[in-house]
Amino acid sequence: MAVFLGIDIGTSGTKTLAIDESGKILASATETYPCYVPRPLWSEQDPEDWWQAVVASVRQVVDRAGLKPDDVKSIGLSGQMHGSVFLDKNDKVIRRAILWNDQRTAAECAEIEQRAGGRKNLIKMVANPALTGFTAPKILWLRNHEKRNFDKLRKVLLPKDEIRRRLTGEYATEVSDASGMLLLDVAKRRWSSKLLSALELDESLLARCYESEDVTGTLRPEVAEQLGLSPKCVVVGGAGDCAAGAVGNGIVAKGVLSTSIGTSGVMFVHSDEVKIDPQGRIHTFCHAVRGKWHMMGVTLSAGGSLQWFRNALCKADIEACKVSGIDPYEVLTDEAARVPPGSQGLFFLPYLSGERTPHADPDARGCFVGITHAHTRGHLVRAILEGVTYSLRDSLEIIDGLGVPVRQIRASGGGSRSPLWRQIQADVFGRKVVTINTEEGPAYGVALLAAVGAGAFKNVVEACQATIRVVSETAPNRAAAKHYDRAFPLYQQLYRSLRDDFKAITALGD
């Protein structure tokens, strides 16, 4: 039997799953870990927590599927993008990793643009502007604020690639995840010597860059024994979580777009050519499909906004649901479903972690606008669902404006599991939204990449065609769609009206 593992090092936890040659999921397991917020808008994790979660989840999958060591032929890795793992000359982690949703690097982003000769020139070099979530600003932050740690620095790895190092001993990454470091020449799919020189960073800090299905190494014998696998098992390049999720959704051909609502929200479309937004509002990255690219808009706090509401304001309900066995999210969305589209004039701006697309504003703040005595908790929840979906429509409007064809929208992530949130997406986008036969996300995508790397399929497109199919469709409600078309420009105006106030709030300090 040939089995392939997909491992996704997410922000809230690591998920591992096993598939066979037909794409059938044999077993899965998830292990969680904490996120540290030492200051407002900072976000860090301990890479050791990731490793322990990988070991535990892999062993669980091996046990649950009844796998023998030689059954598992290859492993694909995915993970949260942009995070920085700083290693010294002995491969010891220097400090906790700074994550994708950390907003401390605004000054370093300005420094990068200045060193690159301006924002437009930077976009020409690496296809994207400098954003606080990206990796390059984090490296400069370390140099500017923790010089002692920077002096120890010998390697910078992305989260999944730190796990690869521990699995194989190799310093390796791949083009989709590397695109989000802001150090890759995206058009040429290799490190940008021009930008590295301008930033006075040595390319030796970075890992070797592969295509996503390429084999990057084999398991170290001691690690193979620890995991219950064979040292012959290979590890392929894998992909950043957005590209991996797209592979898992079959977004590997022109005209297909995915909207994914997890902790963050992602609007992702395949492109056969390099297409760059000259304003830098959405990202252009290398795809996990060899020789292809994708465009992507990101909402930093999508499902994270609803999670915040549940955790901060619904603690009694969480405890009651533990007794009843009901998911607290179902309680909240049931209340929201009784509220009419538009939440009776209530808007929510989902900028709890600042925002990426289209504003690139680390100072942006989340807020409800328009609350009256008539509003209930159900209105607040529905406004969150609508606000997050409006933020995704921001990305869709840019994609449409650049002439990228969109024939089908596939919904995935936690937001796709809610019938209400699927309907809101269809209504806000004014287009039919479909779901597919798997909801396993990035872990499934990199398991398919692992299968390609092991020779089970000749390429990524063939793997997706063989394993992924549409299973449901949600059509827009005409009246609701008409309301959202009227309300969307007001949603956009609210940010413009509050932008200077957000900056003033930040200037007040902690």
Side-chain angles (χ1 to χ4, degrees), residues 305-360:
S305 291
L306 186 60
Q307 183 183 51
W308 160 78
F309 185 88
R310 183 201 67 170
N311 292 347
L313 302 176
C314 305
K315 292 182 180 178
D317 296 86
I318 293 172
E319 293 303 315
C321 287
K322 287 180 181 177
V323 176
S324 65
I326 299 173
D327 186 336
Y329 287 120
E330 289 186 18
V331 174
L332 295 177
T333 55
D334 283 349
E335 292 179 15
R338 295 193 287 271
V339 173
S343 303
Q344 294 183 298
L346 180 61
F347 286 84
F348 175 73
L349 303 187
Y351 307 145
L352 275 66
S353 300
E355 190 52 297
R356 180 137 353 138
T357 306
H359 309 305

Side-chain angles (χ1 to χ4, degrees), residues 91 163-172 218-220 223:
D91 285 341
I163 297 304
R164 185 196 319 278
R165 180 191 68 81
R166 298 195 63 160
L167 289 171
T168 69
E170 301 291 338
Y171 302 120
T218 57
L219 294 183
R220 293 186 293 150
V223 170

Side-chain angles (χ1 to χ4, degrees), residues 243-252 410 436-442 444-446 448 464 467-468:
V247 171
N249 290 331
I251 313 300
V252 295
R410 295 184 178 183
I436 58 172
N437 57 315
T438 176
E439 297 181 3
E440 300 296 338
Y444 189 77
V446 290
L448 290 179
C464 291
T467 58
I468 297 169

